[in-house]
């Protein structure tokens, strides 16, 4: 970033600092003052020679696997959806609701697996999970009345298109579901969002905005994911500004480029950089990004749910998987709520080629599912193609504020 200075980023510590030309040259030539050196050491840019950061990363990964503080369950209440998003990875799945019989078995599985844990987190997933409220109520009723779970911290969240919330459902969420937050996916301002969602008989955009406000009034947090690509980048930035004006900073907002076949995040091409930078800039200027932590560029303890032995994805028929994106492949099953579960199955190690990578602390080997897809004929996670741009974008946005 020669026009504005030089950026130093430590991916192990999540620390970022901006140098001018003089500071950068003195940094390279080991000519910093004692005070400057101590400050860099304090923020994690400089580390002691005896520190083995690679071993720290590996130790964190295995320590996390042995942790028994929290356990998480992602539950498909249904694979049906009232929206028709063309990019949905579940299009190949037949529409099916979880039955009350299976829901009972799911609750029993959760109780059995949670015995040694302090916290239990449920994630309601679909399709659109609110198309099967009966199953959510049923599972939560069993868990709430379970003696084995007494004294444990139970919470839940939901991934939803946000169109089906009502006052009655919000009351359920607060009083019975232990709901802490909802992630709602949006695809742009009114025209684009309604076109992509294609929900019959409803202005999905207006309904979703009203429901976000209702959730916030109830005390349930909302995280808005804005899907975008090259064609919708202008509208995505408009939506960010609209959310700031209409709702304010009481929500979390982030941008997500659409899946791994989108050139925006998979092709290392300088021409795609400005698109990513524009999203970062819009989020920063509207107050939704404040620092590197907001960009999810902090060190991780695991790559994804598939490398987490304390995480289970349960399909509508009770089949158990590590990852929600592979639930259409029966050979990825690790068990069923009706029979057994191999809790040690399909927990991958970090690929050998990732060990010496400077981005290892940020991705820990990345998404297992994306590795199997061999993106762009490589095994590299998308962070490789976006992290430099993200860091530069937030630094430039920060400078524009002053």
């Amino acid at each position: 970033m020669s026009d504005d200075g030089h950026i130093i980023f430590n991916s192990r510590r999540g620390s970022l600092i901006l140098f001018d030309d003089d500071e950068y040259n003195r940094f390279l030539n080991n000519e910093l003052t004692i005070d400057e050196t101590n400050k860099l050491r304090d923020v994690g840019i400089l580390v002691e020679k005896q520190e083995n950061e690679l071993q720290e990363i590996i130790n964190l990964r295995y320590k996390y696997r042995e942790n028994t503080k929290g356990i998480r369950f992602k539950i498909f209440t249904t694979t049906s959806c009232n929206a028709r998003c063309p990019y949905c990875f579940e299009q190949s799945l037949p529409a099916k609701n979880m039955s009350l019989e299976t829901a009972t078995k799911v609750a029993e599985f959760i109780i059995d697996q949670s015995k040694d844990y302090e916290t239990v987190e449920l994630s309601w997933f679909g399709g659109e999970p609110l198309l099967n409220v009966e199953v959510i109520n049923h599972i939560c009723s069993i868990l709430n009345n379970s003696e084995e779970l007494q004294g444990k911290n139970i919470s839940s969240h939901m991934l939803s298109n946000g169109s089906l919330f009502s006052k009655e459902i919000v009351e359920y969420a607060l009083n019975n579901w232990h709901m802490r937050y909802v992630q709602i996916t949006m695809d742009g301002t009114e025209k684009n969002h309604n076109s992509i969602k294609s929900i019959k008989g409803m202005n999905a955009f207006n309904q979703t905005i009203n429901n976000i406000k209702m959730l916030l009034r109830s005390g349930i947090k909302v995280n808005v994911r804005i899907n975008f690509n090259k064609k919708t980048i202008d509208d995505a930035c408009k939506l960010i500004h609209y959310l700031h004006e209409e709702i304010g900073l009481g929500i979390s907002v982030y941008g997500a480029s659409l899946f791994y076949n989108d050139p925006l995040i998979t092709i290392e091409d300088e021409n795609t950089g400005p698109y990513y930078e524009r999203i970062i800039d819009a989020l920063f200027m509207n107050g939704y990004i404040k620092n590197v932590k907001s960009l999810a560029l902090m060190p991780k303890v695991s790559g994804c749910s598939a490398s987490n032995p304390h995480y289970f994805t349960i399909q509508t028929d009770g089949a158990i998987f590590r990852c929600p994106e592979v639930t259409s492949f029966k050979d990825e099953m690790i068990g069923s709520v009706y029979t057994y579960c191999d809790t040690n199955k399909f927990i991958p190690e970090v690929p050998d080629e990732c060990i010496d990578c400077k981005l290892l602390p940020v991705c820990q080997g990345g998404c297992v599912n994306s590795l199997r897809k061999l993106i762009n004929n490589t095994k590299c996670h998308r962070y490789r193609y976006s992290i430099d741009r993200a860091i530069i974008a937030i630094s430039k946005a920060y400078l524009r504020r002053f």
Side-chain angles (χ1 to χ4, degrees):
M1 205 175 78
S2 57
D3 291 342
D4 300 296
H6 305 269
I7 301 170
I8 306 293
F9 176 66
N10 185 314
S11 59
R12 168 66 187 94
R13 311 295 173 181
S15 302
L16 183 151
I17 195 165
L18 180 64
F19 284 141
D20 61 27
D21 288 340
D22 175 66
E23 291 168 330
Y24 184 66
N25 287 328
R26 289 192 292 113
F27 171 77
L28 292 180
N29 295 319
N30 196 25
E31 296 175 352
L32 295 174
T33 67
I34 294 176
D35 285 344
E36 289 172 331
T37 300
N38 288 337
K39 287 179 181 179
L40 293 182
R41 185 179 288 113
D42 290 341
V43 298
I45 295 296
L46 293 178
V47 297
E48 301 297 334
K49 288 183 178 180
Q50 63 268 27
E51 288 191 45
N52 187 332
E53 292 185 301
L54 175 59
Q55 191 59 50
E56 287 179 9
I57 296 166
I58 295 173
N59 291 345
L60 278 175
R61 187 179 181 91
Y62 284 101
K63 185 177 180 180
Y64 179 64
R65 289 186 181 183
E66 297 169 359
N67 173 46
T68 57
K69 182 178 180 180
I71 189 168
R72 294 188 289 168
F73 303 88
K74 178 163 285 188
I75 303 165
F76 280 75
T77 66
T78 181
T79 52
S80 297
C81 189
N82 61 330
R84 297 291 180 269
C85 305
Y87 51 74
C88 182
F89 72 86
E90 294 180 41
Q91 290 180 349
S92 61
L93 296 177
K96 183 179 180 182
N97 284 345
M98 180 179 287
S99 68
L100 291 180
E101 176 191 354
T102 299
T104 299
K105 290 293 186 181
V106 170
E108 292 173 353
F109 175 78
I110 292 171
I111 293 170
D112 181 66
Q113 293 293 321
S114 303
K115 291 177 181 177
D116 297 326
Y117 293 85
E118 298 175 19
T119 64
V120 181
E121 183 178 351
L122 311 177
S123 175
W124 306 109
F125 200 71
E128 172 50 53
L130 291 179
L131 288 175
N132 199 356
V133 169
E134 184 180 23
V135 152
I136 302 177
N137 280 331
H138 185 71
I139 292 174
C140 287
S141 177
I142 295 174
L143 299 182
N144 291 338
N145 290 292
S146 167
E147 292 185 3
E148 291 93 331
L149 296 184
Q150 293 301 310
K152 296 184 184 296
N153 183 4
I154 303 175
S155 65
S156 78
H157 65 270
M158 178 177 291
L159 283 75
S160 170
N161 62 45
S163 65
L164 296 179
F165 283 98
S166 64
K167 290 183 179 179
E168 182 181 25
I169 288 176
V170 171
E171 288 181 4
Y172 285 149
L174 282 172
N175 300 324
N176 302 322
W177 303 352
H178 307 281
M179 185 74 71
R180 293 190 178 176
Y181 75 90
V182 178
Q183 176 175 297
I184 293 176
T185 301
M186 301 192 71
D187 297 284
T189 55
E190 185 172 353
K191 182 180 178 180
N192 278 347
H193 182 81
N194 289 342
S195 175
I196 291 173
K197 288 290 184 258
S198 298
I199 301 178
K200 294 182 180 179
M202 177 192 296
N203 185 319
F205 182 85
N206 288 342
Q207 187 67 43
T208 299
I209 293 297
N210 289 334
N211 287 344
I212 289 174
K213 294 177 180 178
M214 179 172 59
L215 287 164
L216 293 174
R217 287 194 300 269
S218 74
I220 296 175
K221 296 179 180 180
V222 176
N223 182 8
V224 177
R225 165 178 164 147
I226 301 176
N227 287 334
F228 70 95
N229 57 29
K230 286 183 179 181
K231 293 181 179 179
T232 64
I233 183 71
D234 290 338
D235 199 55
C237 292
K238 290 179 182 178
L239 175 59
I240 293 169
H241 180 71
Y242 174 87
L243 291 172
H244 179 256
E245 293 295 312
E246 185 69 18
I247 299 176
L249 299 178
I251 57 175
S252 299
V253 183
Y254 74 100
S257 182
L258 291 174
F259 297 98
Y260 304 116
N261 60 350
D262 187 331
L264 184 58
I265 57 172
T266 59
I267 296 178
E268 197 167 17
D269 180 351
E270 63 180 8
N271 294 324
T272 66
Y275 296 94
Y276 194 84
E277 290 176 13
R278 286 185 59 193
I279 286 290
I280 299 298
D281 187 58
L283 290 169
F284 192 92
M285 298 305 289
N286 283 279
Y288 293 117
I289 285 180
K290 295 179 175 62
N291 49 42
V292 175
K293 292 182 180 179
S294 305
L295 285 173
L297 297 180
M298 297 300 289
K300 292 180 174 60
V301 292
S302 68
C304 66
S305 62
S307 56
N308 181 354
H310 317 291
Y311 185 103
F312 301 92
T313 295
I314 306 176
Q315 251 295 0
T316 54
D317 60 358
I320 304 171
F321 300 83
R322 287 284 175 210
C323 170
E325 292 194 26
V326 299
T327 55
S328 59
F329 303 102
K330 293 302 180 183
D331 59 344
E332 296 283 348
M333 284 178 57
I334 63 172
S336 167
V337 296
Y338 284 96
T339 53
Y340 71 98
C341 179
D342 184 352
T343 57
N344 293 314
K345 190 175 182 180
F346 294 144
I347 301 179
E349 298 295 335
V350 174
D352 290 340
E353 57 266 39
C354 296
I355 293 297
D356 294 325
C357 178
K358 63 183 179 181
L359 302 183
L360 177 61
V362 174
C363 78
Q364 282 281 10
C367 169
V368 175
N369 188 42
S370 68
L371 292 177
R372 290 172 181 168
K373 290 180 180 178
L374 300 178
I375 307 169
N376 282 356
N377 299 316
T378 74
K379 292 184 178 182
C380 194
H381 187 270
R382 67 183 185 275
Y383 276 123
R384 173 183 173 186
Y385 306 103
S386 64
I387 191 168
D388 288 348
R389 295 170 189 151
I391 292 172
I392 292 172
I394 193 173
S395 299
K396 287 183 176 180
Y398 178 81
L399 290 173
R400 280 193 288 273
R401 293 281 292 271
F402 299 95

Short mmCIF file of all heavy atoms in Angstrom, two decimals, residues 214-235:
data_model
loop_
_atom_site.label_atom_id
_atom_site.label_comp_id
_atom_site.label_asym_id
_atom_site.label_seq_id
_atom_site.Cartn_x
_atom_site.Cartn_y
_atom_site.Cartn_z
N MET A 214 -38.61 -6.04 14.97
CA MET A 214 -39.36 -6.73 16.01
C MET A 214 -38.44 -7.60 16.86
O MET A 214 -38.56 -7.62 18.10
CB MET A 214 -40.47 -7.59 15.39
CG MET A 214 -41.29 -8.38 16.40
SD MET A 214 -42.73 -9.20 15.65
CE MET A 214 -41.93 -10.26 14.42
N LEU A 215 -37.52 -8.30 16.23
CA LEU A 215 -36.57 -9.13 16.97
C LEU A 215 -35.70 -8.28 17.90
O LEU A 215 -35.48 -8.64 19.05
CB LEU A 215 -35.69 -9.92 16.00
CG LEU A 215 -36.36 -11.08 15.26
CD1 LEU A 215 -35.52 -11.51 14.06
CD2 LEU A 215 -36.57 -12.27 16.21
N LEU A 216 -35.24 -7.16 17.39
CA LEU A 216 -34.40 -6.28 18.20
C LEU A 216 -35.17 -5.73 19.40
O LEU A 216 -34.63 -5.64 20.51
CB LEU A 216 -33.86 -5.13 17.34
CG LEU A 216 -32.87 -5.52 16.23
CD1 LEU A 216 -32.54 -4.31 15.38
CD2 LEU A 216 -31.60 -6.11 16.83
N ARG A 217 -36.43 -5.36 19.18
CA ARG A 217 -37.25 -4.85 20.29
C ARG A 217 -37.43 -5.89 21.38
O ARG A 217 -37.54 -5.57 22.57
CB ARG A 217 -38.61 -4.38 19.79
CG ARG A 217 -38.58 -3.08 18.99
CD ARG A 217 -39.98 -2.51 18.83
NE ARG A 217 -40.87 -3.42 18.13
CZ ARG A 217 -41.06 -3.44 16.82
NH1 ARG A 217 -40.40 -2.57 16.05
NH2 ARG A 217 -41.89 -4.29 16.25
N SER A 218 -37.43 -7.15 20.98
CA SER A 218 -37.63 -8.24 21.94
C SER A 218 -36.36 -8.58 22.71
O SER A 218 -36.40 -9.33 23.69
CB SER A 218 -38.14 -9.49 21.22
OG SER A 218 -37.09 -10.11 20.49
N GLY A 219 -35.22 -8.07 22.25
CA GLY A 219 -33.95 -8.37 22.89
C GLY A 219 -33.15 -9.46 22.20
O GLY A 219 -32.08 -9.85 22.68
N ILE A 220 -33.65 -9.96 21.07
CA ILE A 220 -32.91 -10.97 20.30
C ILE A 220 -31.99 -10.27 19.30
O ILE A 220 -32.43 -9.42 18.52
CB ILE A 220 -33.88 -11.91 19.55
CG1 ILE A 220 -34.72 -12.71 20.56
CG2 ILE A 220 -33.11 -12.86 18.63
CD1 ILE A 220 -35.79 -13.58 19.91
N LYS A 221 -30.72 -10.60 19.31
CA LYS A 221 -29.75 -9.97 18.42
C LYS A 221 -29.94 -10.45 16.99
O LYS A 221 -30.41 -11.57 16.75
CB LYS A 221 -28.32 -10.26 18.89
CG LYS A 221 -28.00 -9.66 20.25
CD LYS A 221 -26.57 -10.01 20.68
CE LYS A 221 -26.26 -9.40 22.05
NZ LYS A 221 -24.87 -9.72 22.48
N VAL A 222 -29.56 -9.61 16.04
CA VAL A 222 -29.70 -9.94 14.62
C VAL A 222 -28.38 -9.73 13.91
O VAL A 222 -27.71 -8.70 14.08
CB VAL A 222 -30.79 -9.09 13.96
CG1 VAL A 222 -30.86 -9.39 12.46
CG2 VAL A 222 -32.15 -9.33 14.60
N ASN A 223 -27.99 -10.73 13.13
CA ASN A 223 -26.79 -10.67 12.30
C ASN A 223 -27.24 -10.76 10.85
O ASN A 223 -27.84 -11.77 10.45
CB ASN A 223 -25.87 -11.84 12.67
CG ASN A 223 -24.57 -11.82 11.89
OD1 ASN A 223 -24.28 -10.87 11.18
ND2 ASN A 223 -23.79 -12.87 12.02
N VAL A 224 -27.01 -9.71 10.06
CA VAL A 224 -27.44 -9.69 8.66
C VAL A 224 -26.28 -10.06 7.75
O VAL A 224 -25.24 -9.41 7.77
CB VAL A 224 -27.99 -8.31 8.26
CG1 VAL A 224 -28.36 -8.29 6.77
CG2 VAL A 224 -29.20 -7.95 9.11
N ARG A 225 -26.48 -11.12 6.99
CA ARG A 225 -25.49 -11.51 5.97
C ARG A 225 -25.99 -11.00 4.62
O ARG A 225 -27.11 -11.33 4.20
CB ARG A 225 -25.35 -13.03 5.94
CG ARG A 225 -24.64 -13.55 4.68
CD ARG A 225 -24.46 -15.04 4.69
NE ARG A 225 -24.14 -15.53 3.36
CZ ARG A 225 -23.35 -16.59 3.12
NH1 ARG A 225 -22.82 -17.25 4.12
NH2 ARG A 225 -23.11 -16.97 1.89
N ILE A 226 -25.16 -10.21 3.94
CA ILE A 226 -25.52 -9.68 2.63
C ILE A 226 -24.77 -10.45 1.56
O ILE A 226 -23.54 -10.35 1.45
CB ILE A 226 -25.20 -8.18 2.53
CG1 ILE A 226 -25.96 -7.39 3.60
CG2 ILE A 226 -25.55 -7.66 1.13
CD1 ILE A 226 -25.62 -5.91 3.62
N ASN A 227 -25.48 -11.24 0.78
CA ASN A 227 -24.86 -11.97 -0.32
C ASN A 227 -24.65 -11.03 -1.50
O ASN A 227 -25.52 -10.21 -1.83
CB ASN A 227 -25.75 -13.13 -0.76
CG ASN A 227 -25.75 -14.26 0.26
OD1 ASN A 227 -24.80 -14.43 1.01
ND2 ASN A 227 -26.82 -15.03 0.29
N PHE A 228 -23.50 -11.15 -2.16
CA PHE A 228 -23.22 -10.27 -3.29
C PHE A 228 -22.28 -10.93 -4.26
O PHE A 228 -21.57 -11.90 -3.94
CB PHE A 228 -22.61 -8.94 -2.81
CG PHE A 228 -21.20 -9.07 -2.29
CD1 PHE A 228 -20.11 -8.83 -3.11
CD2 PHE A 228 -20.96 -9.44 -0.96
CE1 PHE A 228 -18.81 -8.95 -2.63
CE2 PHE A 228 -19.66 -9.55 -0.48
CZ PHE A 228 -18.59 -9.31 -1.32
N ASN A 229 -22.28 -10.43 -5.48
CA ASN A 229 -21.29 -10.79 -6.49
C ASN A 229 -21.01 -9.55 -7.33
O ASN A 229 -21.43 -8.45 -6.98
CB ASN A 229 -21.77 -11.97 -7.35
CG ASN A 229 -23.10 -11.69 -8.04
OD1 ASN A 229 -23.43 -10.54 -8.33
ND2 ASN A 229 -23.88 -12.73 -8.27
N LYS A 230 -20.29 -9.70 -8.42
CA LYS A 230 -19.92 -8.53 -9.21
C LYS A 230 -21.13 -7.76 -9.71
O LYS A 230 -21.14 -6.53 -9.74
CB LYS A 230 -19.06 -8.96 -10.40
CG LYS A 230 -17.65 -9.36 -10.04
CD LYS A 230 -16.89 -9.70 -11.33
CE LYS A 230 -15.45 -10.07 -11.02
NZ LYS A 230 -14.70 -10.39 -12.24
N LYS A 231 -22.18 -8.48 -10.08
CA LYS A 231 -23.35 -7.83 -10.66
C LYS A 231 -24.18 -7.08 -9.61
O LYS A 231 -24.89 -6.13 -9.95
CB LYS A 231 -24.22 -8.86 -11.37
CG LYS A 231 -23.58 -9.48 -12.60
CD LYS A 231 -24.51 -10.48 -13.27
CE LYS A 231 -23.88 -11.09 -14.51
NZ LYS A 231 -24.79 -12.09 -15.16
N THR A 232 -24.10 -7.54 -8.36
CA THR A 232 -24.96 -6.94 -7.33
C THR A 232 -24.20 -6.08 -6.33
O THR A 232 -24.76 -5.66 -5.33
CB THR A 232 -25.71 -8.05 -6.57
OG1 THR A 232 -24.77 -8.88 -5.86
CG2 THR A 232 -26.54 -8.90 -7.51
N ILE A 233 -22.93 -5.80 -6.61
CA ILE A 233 -22.09 -5.08 -5.65
C ILE A 233 -22.64 -3.69 -5.35
O ILE A 233 -22.66 -3.25 -4.19
CB ILE A 233 -20.62 -5.00 -6.15
CG1 ILE A 233 -19.73 -4.31 -5.12
CG2 ILE A 233 -20.54 -4.31 -7.49
CD1 ILE A 233 -19.48 -5.12 -3.90
N ASP A 234 -23.12 -2.98 -6.37
CA ASP A 234 -23.65 -1.63 -6.14
C ASP A 234 -24.85 -1.69 -5.20
O ASP A 234 -24.96 -0.89 -4.26
CB ASP A 234 -24.07 -0.99 -7.46
CG ASP A 234 -22.89 -0.62 -8.34
OD1 ASP A 234 -21.78 -0.46 -7.79
OD2 ASP A 234 -23.07 -0.49 -9.56
N ASP A 235 -25.74 -2.63 -5.45
CA ASP A 235 -26.94 -2.73 -4.63
C ASP A 235 -26.62 -3.20 -3.22
O ASP A 235 -27.27 -2.79 -2.26
CB ASP A 235 -27.94 -3.70 -5.29
CG ASP A 235 -29.34 -3.50 -4.77
OD1 ASP A 235 -29.85 -2.37 -4.82
OD2 ASP A 235 -29.92 -4.49 -4.28
#
